[in-house]
Amino acid sequence: MPKPQKPVHPAVPALEWLSDVSGRAARATAIGSRRILIENHTGIQDFTDEEVRLCTASGPLCVRGSGLTLCEVRPGALIVHGCIRQVDLPQEGGAQ
């Protein structure tokens, strides 16, 4: 009886995860419709009640909305609370 063959998968998709696994990639996780957790930022560039702009290894990450506040600010992570309308993530392969 012939041995079943394992499917061949290219290694390239696995390489795309390396920046995320290394912990350098910015991560934005929506928590409901009024909170977003931002991890792996390198600092707060600008903050108003309508825009939060954070520095990341890949470039700026921007959260836009109204009544925005920062809560649970920790080194490399924070939660933005308010009416979130838009999140602009850094471009892949951006500034490093």
Side-chain angles (χ1 to χ4, degrees):
M1 177 183 237
K3 194 174 188 180
Q5 294 183 348
K6 292 182 181 178
V8 178
H9 297 287
V12 175
L15 295 176
E16 293 174 2
W17 288 87
L18 287 179
S19 64
D20 190 39
V21 171
S22 71
R24 292 188 63 222
R27 183 176 306 166
T29 306
I31 306 166
S33 61
R34 298 194 49 85
R35 280 188 275 172
I36 188 164
L37 167 65
I38 310 293
E39 297 175 289
N40 299 328
H41 72 86
T42 57
I44 300 170
Q45 186 176 14
D46 190 28
F47 167 66
T48 68
D49 65 340
E50 294 183 347
E51 180 177 89
V52 177
R53 184 177 298 273
L54 304 172
C55 300
T56 73
S58 302
L61 184 151
C62 187
V63 178
R64 291 186 177 95
S66 58
L68 300 179
T69 60
L70 300 179
C71 51
E72 294 189 41
V73 178
R74 302 184 313 258
L78 58 80
I79 293 178
V80 179
H81 185 269
C83 182
I84 298 168
R85 292 195 181 98
Q86 181 178 341
V87 178
D88 296 326
L89 300 172
Q91 295 291 325
E92 295 264 337
Q96 295 189 13

